[in-house]
């Protein structure tokens, strides 16, 4: 019974061009029934009520129109966290889990480390650091007020409100002077999709995720340039800058840090798919 319902849902999603049709149909039915994965996988004989059938049909239709699964269910997994997401924030990506890993590895053995996350979105990186590194104090910023509200809600859900301070700010603009030279690490996953590239993105991303989170305009490295130039004012001596870049932007991203003349040990790291993903540099 459940299997038939999933199959029909999956057929509709496949027809809409969704590659993960079966999995998405399963997750939407699971969400409709309000059960977890284990419960779902052991409920073969369950009959859907009329209300449940209607709700599932509605969710399949939404997903079929290429609304991201995470906006439909309202949650996204990031490392060990389940984060609330709405169309006001980017759905945190698996690649970024690994950016957070770089930050965590850099401060794990530092006494009371301080980390600044620029453009925190759902709060993914900031909350991961605050909850995985004992004693860490995090400052998180975003230029989007609604995004910041989501991030604050997520921080509260994960009991790290006391360890994260949020600022509505265009990059570093609204950060108080007392934060200067105070961070061991500054991290950012800024928007880096050029306007020209937007058209080639999946409709889930292009038509549903916030443009302010995706694209800085024509120059994909414009945010990196601003952050690399201004971060030194807020980093401690020998502090580390960690920036996510788009695939193919690695060498140009390294050049952005090098051009400032303010960093040493500039490195490009690839993600698990072998794509350029992180630029790191240590303050001179
Ligand atoms: N850090 C989150 C993550 O990794 O999932 C969100 C990253 S999203 C690619 C970029 C974020 O930067 C968005 O939340 C966007 O609102 C924010 N942003 C864009 N321009 C900004 C600016 N000038 N100053 C601060 N934040 C900005
Ligand atoms: N990694 C996201 C994507 O591929 C984009 C996020 C960003 O611009 N930082 O859609």
């Amino acid at each position: 019974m459940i299997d038939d319902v999933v199959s029909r849902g999956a057929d509709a999603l496949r027809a809409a061009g969704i590659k993960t049709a079966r999995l998405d149909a399963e997750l939407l039915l699971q969400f409709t029934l309000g059960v977890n994965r284990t419960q779902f996988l052991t409920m073969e004989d369950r009959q859907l009520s009329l209300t449940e059938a209607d709700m599932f049909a509605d969710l399949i239709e939404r997903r079929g129109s290429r609304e991201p699964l995470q906006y439909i269910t309202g949650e996204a997994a990031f490392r060990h966290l389940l984060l609330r997401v709405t169309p006001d924030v980017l759905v945190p990506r698996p690649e970024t889990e690994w950016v957070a890993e770089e930050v965590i590895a850099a401060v794990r053995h530092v006494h009371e480390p301080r980390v600044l996350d620029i453009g925190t979105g759902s709060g993914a990186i900031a909350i991961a650091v605050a909850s995985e590194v004992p004693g860490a104090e995090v400052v998180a910023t975003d230029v989007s007020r609604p995004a910041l509200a989501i991030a604050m809600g997520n921080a509260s859900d994960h009991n790290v409100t006391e360890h994260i301070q949020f600022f509505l700010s265009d990059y570093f603009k609204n950060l108080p002077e007392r934060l200067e030279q105070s961070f061991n690490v500054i991290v950012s996953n800024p928007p880096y999709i050029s306007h020209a590239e937007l058209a080639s993105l999946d409709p889930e991303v292009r038509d549903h995720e916030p443009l302010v989170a995706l694209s800085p305009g024509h120059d994909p490295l414009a945010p990196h340039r601003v952050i690399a130039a201004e971060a030194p004012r807020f980093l401690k001596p020998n502090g580390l800058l960690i920036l996510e870049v788009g695939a193919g932007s690695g060498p140009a991203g390294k050049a952005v840090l090098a051009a400032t003349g303010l960093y040493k040990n500039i490195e490009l790291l690839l993600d698990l798919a072998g794509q350029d993903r992180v630029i790191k540099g240590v303050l001179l």
Side-chain angles (χ1 to χ4, degrees), residues 93 189-193 205 213-214:
R93 305 288 201 266
N189 171 18
Y192 55 63
I193 313 239
V205 181
L214 293 174

Side-chain angles (χ1 to χ4, degrees), residues 183-201:
F183 295 102
N184 299 89
V185 175
I186 297 179
V187 60
S188 183
N189 171 18
Y192 55 63
I193 313 239
S194 72
H195 268 173
E197 281 174 297
L198 280 173
S200 64
L201 297 179

Side-chain angles (χ1 to χ4, degrees), residues 163-176:
H163 299 289
I164 307 184
Q165 247 192 306
F166 291 95
F167 289 91
L168 183 66
S169 179
D170 176 5
Y171 299 118
F172 299 86
K173 265 186 203 151
N174 294 346
L175 293 183

